[in-house]
Amino acid sequence: MRKPLFTGCGTALITPFKNGEVDYEALDKLVEDQIAKGVSALIAVGTTGEPATMTWEEHLAVIRRVVEKADHRVPVIAGTGSNATSEAVYAAKHSAEFGADAQLVVTPYYNKTSQAGLVAHFNAIADAATLPVIVYNVPSRTGLNISPEALAEICQHENVIAVKEANSDVAQAMEKVRLCGDKVDFYCGNDDLIVPTIACGFKGVISVLSNVLPAETSQMAKLALEGKNAEAAAIQLKLLPFVNALFSETSPIPVKAALAKMGLCEDELRLPLVPMQEGPRQKMYAIMRELGLIA
């Protein structure tokens, strides 16, 4: 029987910046805090980590640092996705050399391609065989949805081990599980759907929420995986207003604002992203006070 890379909660780490540079001191503290509070995996420079505004040198340096700091305590998944297949292969090669355990590969953005192109893209990356592939489908951000039929083709490849499905179309996600669930594992990419998707066969979540609430998100996923749906759902519903706040502006804008308020990083992004607007910010802070995250 195939063993999942991880079960439960994997955190899609932010990349902290300070004075225009990567803040490695804050990154180290985030890694330690996440592991101490029970997350099952760390994703370094996935889309939440702002790779679109980082150089490849920075991108790979952050992956290396997270691998070193995690020190085999949890799997580290490297964000290698690109709209150029060759660049994704390049990033995976170096991430494998650093000791990453797998790669998270987002669908190509802007140039998008066809469903046949998607199959060719993921097959080429999997053929390189440098790291196991987790396919990342997030149509709201890329403008491109992997169809169930195309995903079924992609998942035939022996080096494709999992899918991160960040699609609010739960019915389509379930069709993908029906077609591919015997070949790969599925992880939820929507923090508002963790419990429902686990109930339908997902092995856990790759989460933005857990940057701020690693223990609570991990507990929610654990309860859901144990079939304790009422208890898991109670956490999901309690945290739903905060999840909505975290996505009230383009992610990772709100999650960085939340972490900065908690003293865990600077509230710094790179253009074209700008800090959270005051109205949504204050609404989020009010929810954080209710949850006891800030005074």
Side-chain angles (χ1 to χ4, degrees), residues 93-290:
K93 176 180 179 292
H94 287 284
S95 298
E97 291 170 354
F98 302 152
D101 297 281
Q103 59 179 314
L104 182 66
V105 184
V106 69
T107 53
Y109 40 87
Y110 190 75
N111 54 5
K112 293 169 65 173
T113 194
S114 62
Q115 295 298 308
L118 282 173
V119 174
H121 173 74
F122 283 104
N123 279 344
I125 294 166
D127 282 344
T130 46
L131 282 173
V133 174
I134 301 174
V135 176
Y136 181 16
N137 187 46
V138 56
S140 66
R141 299 294 291 259
T142 63
L144 179 63
N145 179 54
I146 306 175
S147 72
E149 295 76 18
L151 186 64
E153 284 193 63
I154 293 165
C155 291
Q156 295 292 332
H157 201 294
E158 62 181 2
N159 290 331
V160 175
I161 62 166
V163 176
K164 177 185 177 183
E165 186 69 20
N167 189 345
S168 57
D169 187 343
V170 177
Q172 186 182 101
M174 294 309 97
E175 175 65 5
K176 291 177 178 179
V177 173
R178 186 185 72 82
L179 291 173
C180 311
D182 61 335
K183 298 180 182 67
V184 300
D185 297 308
F186 280 79
Y187 298 103
C188 179
N190 294 74
D191 282 316
D192 57 350
L193 294 174
I194 297 171
V195 176
T197 53
I198 289 178
C200 293
F202 282 39
K203 294 297 193 296
V205 61
I206 294 177
S207 174
V208 174
L209 171 67
S210 58
N211 278 280
V212 183
L213 290 168
E216 293 82 352
T217 311
S218 296
Q219 178 68 359
M220 185 197 326
K222 179 176 181 289
L223 289 168
L225 287 164
E226 291 173 350
K228 298 175 181 176
N229 293 324
E231 294 173 64
I235 299 173
Q236 179 86 83
L237 294 172
K238 176 184 177 182
L239 297 182
L240 190 58
F242 185 48
V243 170
N244 291 337
L246 287 177
F247 293 93
S248 61
E249 292 190 17
T250 301
S251 184
I253 291 171
V255 70
K256 275 198 165 177
L259 290 169
K261 188 69 172 177
M262 295 166 68
L264 295 173
C265 70
E266 300 295 322
D267 189 7
E268 184 173 323
L269 306 110
R270 287 179 174 174
L271 289 172
L273 298 184
V274 296
M276 197 172 188
Q277 298 299 298
E278 197 60 25
R281 180 187 293 269
Q282 292 305 323
K283 289 179 182 178
M284 183 177 73
Y285 287 169
I287 295 167
M288 292 175 69
R289 292 187 187 95
E290 290 175 7

Side-chain angles (χ1 to χ4, degrees), residues 32-43:
E32 290 300 326
D33 185 63
Q34 290 286 315
I35 294 173
K37 291 179 178 173
V39 302
S40 301
L42 295 172
I43 294 79

